[in-house]
Amino acid sequence: MLKTPAGTAAICLALALLSFFQFPGHTWLQQDTQIYVPILEHERDPSVLRNDLLVQQSNVAYTLYDEAALGLQAITRLPLRDVLAIEQVITRAFGIWGVYLMATALDLSPGAAWLLAMIVSLGAAVAGPQVLTFEYEPTPRAFALPLIVCAIGLAAHKRYLAAGIAGSCALLYHFPTSSSFWLLFALVVLLEPRKAWRGLIPLLAAAAVLAFVAHGPPLGFFQRLTPLQQQLLHIRAAYVWISTWPVGVILHYPILFAVLLAAALRIRGIPTNLRIYVIGLPVIGLATMPFSWLALDHFGWAFMPQFQPLRKLLFVVLMAQFLTAAAGAKAASKERWLEAAGWFTAAYLIPLPLDLRPLLAASLLGILAVLAARRAPVLGLAAFFAIPALAGVANYPRLHTPQLEQLSAWARASTPRDAVFLFPDAGHSLAPGIFRAEARRAIYVDWKGGGQINYLKEFAAEWWSRWQQTIAAGFQPQDLPRYRTMGIQYVVVQPRDRLPQPPEFDNGSYVVYRCE
């Protein structure tokens, strides 16, 4: 079964589903989908959320993310959440297949290759740029990155046309994530021009599609940040400024790169078509640190917060995870048991916090992986359950509550379609963004929605003005008439801010008043 295409596809899909439902898991409306989902809903029906600042300009205008999601929704008639979940699982499966192909390119046995796919499927958080190797939410990057891994695996086996198709699909979803792959693919074309050029055909087609669908505001490629933009980025998106990172975070990546190189040297004989990516992508990632400092921190290049080059550091983490696991599998195949356990432990440690409990869990999993690499790859599945149980890792909080669902259902059924809500005492809470998407009612301003300042200059100024006038100023009962003049019809407050008047809605966690 392992050697048949149907068997391979089944295993990839099974691992993708395991990673989706068990660990690292998935989320909905807890991070960037709070921005993407309202935009998609508004594009599907312009009357939805038309009074919400968040949907006035789109940050998916230069991608096929929205067209793909809405097209699939129209075909399947499924809710948007289900459509995006299907895309997320399928692209994860392609990424898992890519890791398997990368592993078999190292002449590892199918069992060891599947073990590596399991280890990399555990994902990892990338400190500093605040990104993940396996995204929890169905965002453009969540679809693009596994497709890039798939393209790398195909290129490692010299299947250049297929690699070009996978890489081009990634480009259509998220150009910043795919750009490094194509930069290195150009090197592959130079090394093997007679074969690799075929991979450029899908790239040309993808570029033509993007040129056709692009409809957004100018990217500001030749502009510099205004003082207000710089101030707001430091407040709302400080992670884009490497000068604000702790020294320990900055040093983490050269150290991890050294571990990666040691593993690569220990493996020996990595094919050129694979070595270009497993070494080249981390090198590009490291290079983004001085580059970002010069381009953004020093020169204030306005394109940098949109492109976010520092997020290419995820390739340092991803390839360190892959190569340490591969070094463990190689050592196990030669019966160097202690060395194999050490490499596997390192691979499991990469996604875990540095603490005693995670270290013990990684050590146990490292020993178990030695047995899995040699005799029973299925033992690798234990990590999906052991990491949350033994290491105590919880990747994300539980933000959806029955009370918030009740509030959203009430607003959706009992308030005008064009009503505008404000959560004046919410602070940085993510609840308003969940409410916006679930209730399909406009929010005057919220913290998560401010993430658009990375992309949209005009949005940044308006968002900051609204924030300063409302949430930053704090909630006062006498502000209700003023809110009304600003176009706000309802305020949602916590019970501690209850007013001496009958509310429109009250469930013990949220109290709603009409602005009069």
Side-chain angles (χ1 to χ4, degrees):
M1 179 179 176
L2 286 172
K3 296 183 178 180
T4 66
T8 299
I11 295 172
C12 289
L13 183 58
L15 288 176
L17 289 169
L18 181 63
S19 74
F20 186 80
F21 289 108
Q22 173 58 28
F23 187 89
H26 69 282
T27 59
W28 176 251
L29 299 178
Q30 293 197 191
Q31 291 299 327
D32 287 349
T33 49
Q34 288 202 6
I35 294 174
Y36 290 115
V37 169
I39 290 174
L40 292 177
E41 293 285 7
H42 181 70
E43 287 189 7
R44 185 182 61 83
D45 182 354
S47 67
V48 174
L49 298 171
R50 61 184 176 186
N51 290 331
D52 199 302
L53 175 66
L54 187 66
V55 305
Q56 300 307 310
Q57 290 181 303
S58 172
N59 64 349
V60 294
Y62 296 93
T63 77
L64 212 65
Y65 174 79
D66 48 342
E67 287 85 356
L70 296 178
L72 287 171
Q73 187 181 29
I75 293 170
T76 62
R77 302 296 181 182
L78 292 172
L80 184 60
R81 178 175 183 171
D82 293 343
V83 167
L84 291 174
I86 290 171
E87 287 189 83
Q88 190 174 8
V89 170
I90 290 174
T91 53
R92 277 194 187 187
F94 274 110
I96 290 166
W97 183 42
V99 177
Y100 174 78
L101 291 174
M102 291 166 63
T104 55
L106 295 175
D107 292 326
L108 292 173
S109 67
W114 285 121
L115 175 62
L116 263 66
M118 295 176 199
I119 292 174
V120 176
S121 298
L122 297 170
V126 184
Q130 295 186 8
V131 70
L132 301 161
T133 59
F134 263 60
E135 293 283 348
Y136 308 144
E137 300 221 315
T139 61
R141 184 173 53 253
F143 301 161
L145 182 57
L147 290 172
I148 287 300
V149 175
C150 181
I152 294 169
L154 290 165
H157 287 267
K158 300 189 176 183
R159 298 166 65 175
Y160 296 119
L161 180 59
I165 292 172
S168 297
C169 290
L171 178 74
L172 290 171
Y173 274 118
H174 201 242
F175 169 74
T177 298
S178 61
S179 58
S180 297
F181 168 82
W182 285 109
L183 181 64
L184 295 176
F185 193 84
L187 178 58
V188 174
V189 172
L190 291 175
L191 294 175
E192 290 194 80
R194 293 185 179 180
K195 296 181 179 180
W197 70 269
R198 295 181 182 90
L200 299 177
I201 298 173
L203 175 63
L204 296 176
V209 170
L210 281 183
F212 178 76
V213 303
H215 58 275
L219 294 176
F221 189 82
F222 298 105
Q223 298 177 8
R224 299 184 67 176
L225 294 171
T226 65
L228 176 61
Q229 284 178 291
Q230 293 191 40
Q231 176 192 359
L232 295 185
L233 283 169
H234 274 99
I235 293 172
R236 179 59 186 79
Y239 55 86
V240 303
W241 305 94
I242 192 172
S243 57
T244 67
W245 293 8
V247 174
V249 172
I250 294 174
L251 293 178
H252 171 73
Y253 294 102
I255 294 171
L256 200 56
F257 183 71
V259 173
L260 177 157
L261 283 181
L265 291 172
R266 194 58 180 157
I267 293 169
R268 299 195 186 106
I270 301 176
T272 300
N273 281 11
L274 181 58
R275 186 167 62 248
I276 285 173
Y277 290 105
V278 298
I279 303 299
L281 287 172
V283 167
I284 291 173
L286 287 179
T288 64
M289 292 199 289
F291 172 75
S292 182
W293 180 82
L294 284 172
L296 180 59
D297 297 62
H298 186 67
F299 291 109
W301 189 4
F303 182 62
M304 287 298 97
Q306 302 174 52
F307 188 64
Q308 296 189 41
L310 289 169
R311 291 192 161 174
K312 295 182 184 299
L313 285 167
L314 70 86
F315 290 112
V316 180
V317 178
L318 180 66
M319 294 309 173
Q321 202 172 19
F322 172 76
L323 288 173
T324 51
K330 284 285 188 179
S333 68
K334 297 177 181 179
E335 300 186 354
R336 299 196 299 263
W337 311 119
L338 188 60
E339 179 187 349
W343 285 118
F344 280 129
T345 298
Y348 284 117
L349 264 180
I350 286 172
L352 300 180
L354 293 178
D355 204 350
L356 179 60
R357 189 176 170 186
L359 177 59
L360 292 175
S363 300
L364 290 173
L365 289 171
I367 295 170
L368 190 64
V370 175
L371 299 174
R374 287 292 293 165
R375 299 186 182 279
V378 71
L379 293 176
L381 296 174
F384 292 93
F385 303 90
I387 288 179
L390 299 181
V393 174
N395 283 333
Y396 40 83
R398 306 294 180 181
L399 299 181
H400 296 264
T401 65
Q403 293 80 5
L404 186 54
E405 291 177 5
Q406 292 168 8
L407 171 65
S408 301
W410 169 82
R412 190 168 56 247
S414 304
T415 65
R417 191 181 181 92
D418 289 339
V420 178
F421 284 73
L422 174 69
F423 288 65
D425 58 1
H428 294 183
S429 169
L430 297 176
I434 297 174
F435 171 85
R436 172 193 281 119
E438 297 289 359
R440 297 186 181 182
R441 294 297 183 267
I443 297 293
Y444 186 74
V445 69
D446 69 308
W447 181 256
K448 182 60 185 178
Q452 290 280 70
I453 68 172
N454 287 26
Y455 306 96
L456 306 170
K457 178 180 178 180
E458 293 76 14
F459 172 91
E462 178 63 21
W463 174 83
W464 183 240
S465 174
R466 293 187 178 199
W467 179 266
Q468 290 293 95
Q469 293 179 63
T470 55
I471 299 177
F475 173 64
Q476 300 295 332
Q478 59 268 27
D479 286 334
L480 291 182
R482 180 171 65 88
Y483 290 157
R484 183 69 183 182
T485 64
M486 297 163 67
I488 301 167
Q489 284 82 47
Y490 297 92
V491 295
V492 183
V493 298
Q494 299 175 51
R496 68 170 185 264
D497 288 321
R498 186 183 302 272
L499 302 178
Q501 64 187 62
E504 298 289 318
F505 173 86
D506 182 0
N507 66 2
S509 294
Y510 299 98
V511 187
V512 182
Y513 295 98
R514 185 187 295 271
C515 297
E516 295 177 342

PDB file of all heavy atoms in Angstrom, residues 172-190:
ATOM      1  N   LEU A 172      -0.142  31.930  -6.401  1.00  0.00           N
ATOM      2  CA  LEU A 172      -1.476  32.500  -6.539  1.00  0.00           C
ATOM      3  C   LEU A 172      -2.122  32.755  -5.180  1.00  0.00           C
ATOM      4  O   LEU A 172      -2.951  33.652  -5.041  1.00  0.00           O
ATOM      5  CB  LEU A 172      -2.357  31.557  -7.365  1.00  0.00           C
ATOM      6  CG  LEU A 172      -2.000  31.453  -8.857  1.00  0.00           C
ATOM      7  CD1 LEU A 172      -2.794  30.340  -9.510  1.00  0.00           C
ATOM      8  CD2 LEU A 172      -2.251  32.772  -9.569  1.00  0.00           C
ATOM      9  N   TYR A 173      -1.734  31.979  -4.192  1.00  0.00           N
ATOM     10  CA  TYR A 173      -2.279  32.172  -2.847  1.00  0.00           C
ATOM     11  C   TYR A 173      -1.514  33.235  -2.060  1.00  0.00           C
ATOM     12  O   TYR A 173      -2.119  34.041  -1.351  1.00  0.00           O
ATOM     13  CB  TYR A 173      -2.252  30.851  -2.072  1.00  0.00           C
ATOM     14  CG  TYR A 173      -3.444  29.965  -2.293  1.00  0.00           C
ATOM     15  CD1 TYR A 173      -3.300  28.701  -2.861  1.00  0.00           C
ATOM     16  CD2 TYR A 173      -4.725  30.375  -1.931  1.00  0.00           C
ATOM     17  CE1 TYR A 173      -4.411  27.872  -3.057  1.00  0.00           C
ATOM     18  CE2 TYR A 173      -5.832  29.561  -2.119  1.00  0.00           C
ATOM     19  CZ  TYR A 173      -5.661  28.314  -2.690  1.00  0.00           C
ATOM     20  OH  TYR A 173      -6.760  27.505  -2.879  1.00  0.00           O
ATOM     21  N   HIS A 174      -0.174  33.226  -2.147  1.00  0.00           N
ATOM     22  CA  HIS A 174       0.599  34.119  -1.286  1.00  0.00           C
ATOM     23  C   HIS A 174       1.998  34.313  -1.864  1.00  0.00           C
ATOM     24  O   HIS A 174       2.875  33.468  -1.692  1.00  0.00           O
ATOM     25  CB  HIS A 174       0.695  33.538   0.124  1.00  0.00           C
ATOM     26  CG  HIS A 174       1.019  34.546   1.176  1.00  0.00           C
ATOM     27  ND1 HIS A 174       2.146  34.494   1.948  1.00  0.00           N
ATOM     28  CD2 HIS A 174       0.337  35.653   1.590  1.00  0.00           C
ATOM     29  CE1 HIS A 174       2.162  35.511   2.793  1.00  0.00           C
ATOM     30  NE2 HIS A 174       1.075  36.230   2.597  1.00  0.00           N
ATOM     31  N   PHE A 175       2.197  35.436  -2.526  1.00  0.00           N
ATOM     32  CA  PHE A 175       3.471  35.699  -3.177  1.00  0.00           C
ATOM     33  C   PHE A 175       4.649  35.760  -2.201  1.00  0.00           C
ATOM     34  O   PHE A 175       5.706  35.172  -2.469  1.00  0.00           O
ATOM     35  CB  PHE A 175       3.397  37.003  -3.982  1.00  0.00           C
ATOM     36  CG  PHE A 175       4.738  37.485  -4.458  1.00  0.00           C
ATOM     37  CD1 PHE A 175       5.381  36.847  -5.499  1.00  0.00           C
ATOM     38  CD2 PHE A 175       5.362  38.567  -3.836  1.00  0.00           C
ATOM     39  CE1 PHE A 175       6.635  37.280  -5.936  1.00  0.00           C
ATOM     40  CE2 PHE A 175       6.603  39.001  -4.261  1.00  0.00           C
ATOM     41  CZ  PHE A 175       7.242  38.359  -5.313  1.00  0.00           C
ATOM     42  N   PRO A 176       4.532  36.447  -1.045  1.00  0.00           N
ATOM     43  CA  PRO A 176       5.701  36.523  -0.155  1.00  0.00           C
ATOM     44  C   PRO A 176       6.226  35.155   0.276  1.00  0.00           C
ATOM     45  O   PRO A 176       7.434  34.953   0.384  1.00  0.00           O
ATOM     46  CB  PRO A 176       5.175  37.319   1.046  1.00  0.00           C
ATOM     47  CG  PRO A 176       4.079  38.160   0.488  1.00  0.00           C
ATOM     48  CD  PRO A 176       3.423  37.287  -0.542  1.00  0.00           C
ATOM     49  N   THR A 177       5.336  34.189   0.515  1.00  0.00           N
ATOM     50  CA  THR A 177       5.773  32.866   0.945  1.00  0.00           C
ATOM     51  C   THR A 177       6.458  32.111  -0.185  1.00  0.00           C
ATOM     52  O   THR A 177       7.425  31.381   0.042  1.00  0.00           O
ATOM     53  CB  THR A 177       4.572  32.056   1.458  1.00  0.00           C
ATOM     54  OG1 THR A 177       4.014  32.725   2.595  1.00  0.00           O
ATOM     55  CG2 THR A 177       4.970  30.643   1.860  1.00  0.00           C
ATOM     56  N   SER A 178       5.973  32.271  -1.408  1.00  0.00           N
ATOM     57  CA  SER A 178       6.479  31.490  -2.534  1.00  0.00           C
ATOM     58  C   SER A 178       7.694  32.104  -3.206  1.00  0.00           C
ATOM     59  O   SER A 178       8.377  31.425  -3.975  1.00  0.00           O
ATOM     60  CB  SER A 178       5.369  31.309  -3.574  1.00  0.00           C
ATOM     61  OG  SER A 178       4.946  32.569  -4.077  1.00  0.00           O
ATOM     62  N   SER A 179       7.977  33.370  -2.951  1.00  0.00           N
ATOM     63  CA  SER A 179       9.026  34.073  -3.701  1.00  0.00           C
ATOM     64  C   SER A 179      10.401  33.427  -3.544  1.00  0.00           C
ATOM     65  O   SER A 179      11.166  33.339  -4.516  1.00  0.00           O
ATOM     66  CB  SER A 179       9.086  35.542  -3.270  1.00  0.00           C
ATOM     67  OG  SER A 179       9.317  35.655  -1.876  1.00  0.00           O
ATOM     68  N   SER A 180      10.731  32.950  -2.348  1.00  0.00           N
ATOM     69  CA  SER A 180      12.049  32.340  -2.138  1.00  0.00           C
ATOM     70  C   SER A 180      12.197  31.044  -2.931  1.00  0.00           C
ATOM     71  O   SER A 180      13.278  30.744  -3.451  1.00  0.00           O
ATOM     72  CB  SER A 180      12.273  32.061  -0.650  1.00  0.00           C
ATOM     73  OG  SER A 180      12.273  33.254   0.091  1.00  0.00           O
ATOM     74  N   PHE A 181      11.121  30.276  -3.006  1.00  0.00           N
ATOM     75  CA  PHE A 181      11.169  29.050  -3.807  1.00  0.00           C
ATOM     76  C   PHE A 181      11.523  29.367  -5.250  1.00  0.00           C
ATOM     77  O   PHE A 181      12.373  28.707  -5.855  1.00  0.00           O
ATOM     78  CB  PHE A 181       9.827  28.317  -3.749  1.00  0.00           C
ATOM     79  CG  PHE A 181       9.708  27.214  -4.767  1.00  0.00           C
ATOM     80  CD1 PHE A 181      10.260  25.966  -4.513  1.00  0.00           C
ATOM     81  CD2 PHE A 181       9.077  27.433  -5.991  1.00  0.00           C
ATOM     82  CE1 PHE A 181      10.175  24.951  -5.466  1.00  0.00           C
ATOM     83  CE2 PHE A 181       8.979  26.433  -6.939  1.00  0.00           C
ATOM     84  CZ  PHE A 181       9.540  25.176  -6.684  1.00  0.00           C
ATOM     85  N   TRP A 182      10.876  30.369  -5.812  1.00  0.00           N
ATOM     86  CA  TRP A 182      11.111  30.686  -7.222  1.00  0.00           C
ATOM     87  C   TRP A 182      12.491  31.278  -7.441  1.00  0.00           C
ATOM     88  O   TRP A 182      13.104  31.065  -8.496  1.00  0.00           O
ATOM     89  CB  TRP A 182      10.020  31.613  -7.734  1.00  0.00           C
ATOM     90  CG  TRP A 182       8.741  30.874  -7.948  1.00  0.00           C
ATOM     91  CD1 TRP A 182       7.592  30.961  -7.221  1.00  0.00           C
ATOM     92  CD2 TRP A 182       8.503  29.882  -8.944  1.00  0.00           C
ATOM     93  NE1 TRP A 182       6.648  30.101  -7.706  1.00  0.00           N
ATOM     94  CE2 TRP A 182       7.177  29.425  -8.767  1.00  0.00           C
ATOM     95  CE3 TRP A 182       9.280  29.342  -9.971  1.00  0.00           C
ATOM     96  CZ2 TRP A 182       6.612  28.446  -9.585  1.00  0.00           C
ATOM     97  CZ3 TRP A 182       8.717  28.367 -10.781  1.00  0.00           C
ATOM     98  CH2 TRP A 182       7.404  27.923 -10.594  1.00  0.00           C
ATOM     99  N   LEU A 183      13.006  31.991  -6.475  1.00  0.00           N
ATOM    100  CA  LEU A 183      14.374  32.499  -6.581  1.00  0.00           C
ATOM    101  C   LEU A 183      15.367  31.349  -6.696  1.00  0.00           C
ATOM    102  O   LEU A 183      16.279  31.366  -7.531  1.00  0.00           O
ATOM    103  CB  LEU A 183      14.698  33.362  -5.357  1.00  0.00           C
ATOM    104  CG  LEU A 183      16.085  34.003  -5.320  1.00  0.00           C
ATOM    105  CD1 LEU A 183      16.250  34.993  -6.460  1.00  0.00           C
ATOM    106  CD2 LEU A 183      16.321  34.699  -3.980  1.00  0.00           C
ATOM    107  N   LEU A 184      15.175  30.321  -5.888  1.00  0.00           N
ATOM    108  CA  LEU A 184      16.064  29.160  -5.936  1.00  0.00           C
ATOM    109  C   LEU A 184      15.754  28.262  -7.134  1.00  0.00           C
ATOM    110  O   LEU A 184      16.659  27.587  -7.644  1.00  0.00           O
ATOM    111  CB  LEU A 184      15.943  28.369  -4.634  1.00  0.00           C
ATOM    112  CG  LEU A 184      16.429  29.107  -3.389  1.00  0.00           C
ATOM    113  CD1 LEU A 184      16.180  28.283  -2.137  1.00  0.00           C
ATOM    114  CD2 LEU A 184      17.919  29.439  -3.509  1.00  0.00           C
ATOM    115  N   PHE A 185      14.516  28.250  -7.577  1.00  0.00           N
ATOM    116  CA  PHE A 185      14.186  27.471  -8.765  1.00  0.00           C
ATOM    117  C   PHE A 185      14.920  28.016  -9.987  1.00  0.00           C
ATOM    118  O   PHE A 185      15.288  27.251 -10.898  1.00  0.00           O
ATOM    119  CB  PHE A 185      12.680  27.469  -9.012  1.00  0.00           C
ATOM    120  CG  PHE A 185      12.234  26.447 -10.026  1.00  0.00           C
ATOM    121  CD1 PHE A 185      12.014  25.135  -9.645  1.00  0.00           C
ATOM    122  CD2 PHE A 185      12.051  26.795 -11.355  1.00  0.00           C
ATOM    123  CE1 PHE A 185      11.610  24.190 -10.565  1.00  0.00           C
ATOM    124  CE2 PHE A 185      11.645  25.854 -12.289  1.00  0.00           C
ATOM    125  CZ  PHE A 185      11.426  24.541 -11.892  1.00  0.00           C
ATOM    126  N   ALA A 186      15.142  29.327 -10.005  1.00  0.00           N
ATOM    127  CA  ALA A 186      15.930  29.910 -11.098  1.00  0.00           C
ATOM    128  C   ALA A 186      17.336  29.323 -11.115  1.00  0.00           C
ATOM    129  O   ALA A 186      17.913  29.086 -12.193  1.00  0.00           O
ATOM    130  CB  ALA A 186      15.989  31.430 -10.946  1.00  0.00           C
ATOM    131  N   LEU A 187      17.895  29.068  -9.938  1.00  0.00           N
ATOM    132  CA  LEU A 187      19.213  28.432  -9.857  1.00  0.00           C
ATOM    133  C   LEU A 187      19.147  27.004 -10.386  1.00  0.00           C
ATOM    134  O   LEU A 187      20.064  26.536 -11.082  1.00  0.00           O
ATOM    135  CB  LEU A 187      19.693  28.451  -8.408  1.00  0.00           C
ATOM    136  CG  LEU A 187      21.045  27.795  -8.115  1.00  0.00           C
ATOM    137  CD1 LEU A 187      22.157  28.435  -8.938  1.00  0.00           C
ATOM    138  CD2 LEU A 187      21.365  27.887  -6.620  1.00  0.00           C
ATOM    139  N   VAL A 188      18.072  26.297 -10.071  1.00  0.00           N
ATOM    140  CA  VAL A 188      17.898  24.936 -10.587  1.00  0.00           C
ATOM    141  C   VAL A 188      17.831  24.949 -12.109  1.00  0.00           C
ATOM    142  O   VAL A 188      18.416  24.084 -12.777  1.00  0.00           O
ATOM    143  CB  VAL A 188      16.620  24.299  -9.996  1.00  0.00           C
ATOM    144  CG1 VAL A 188      16.341  22.941 -10.630  1.00  0.00           C
ATOM    145  CG2 VAL A 188      16.741  24.156  -8.487  1.00  0.00           C
ATOM    146  N   VAL A 189      17.138  25.922 -12.681  1.00  0.00           N
ATOM    147  CA  VAL A 189      17.049  26.042 -14.140  1.00  0.00           C
ATOM    148  C   VAL A 189      18.423  26.266 -14.751  1.00  0.00           C
ATOM    149  O   VAL A 189      18.757  25.705 -15.803  1.00  0.00           O
ATOM    150  CB  VAL A 189      16.079  27.167 -14.533  1.00  0.00           C
ATOM    151  CG1 VAL A 189      16.126  27.427 -16.032  1.00  0.00           C
ATOM    152  CG2 VAL A 189      14.667  26.832 -14.098  1.00  0.00           C
ATOM    153  N   LEU A 190      19.240  27.058 -14.092  1.00  0.00           N
ATOM    154  CA  LEU A 190      20.597  27.292 -14.603  1.00  0.00           C
ATOM    155  C   LEU A 190      21.430  26.020 -14.564  1.00  0.00           C
ATOM    156  O   LEU A 190      22.253  25.777 -15.466  1.00  0.00           O
ATOM    157  CB  LEU A 190      21.282  28.390 -13.776  1.00  0.00           C
ATOM    158  CG  LEU A 190      20.726  29.808 -13.943  1.00  0.00           C
ATOM    159  CD1 LEU A 190      21.427  30.763 -12.981  1.00  0.00           C
ATOM    160  CD2 LEU A 190      20.916  30.290 -15.384  1.00  0.00           C
TER     161      LEU A 190
END
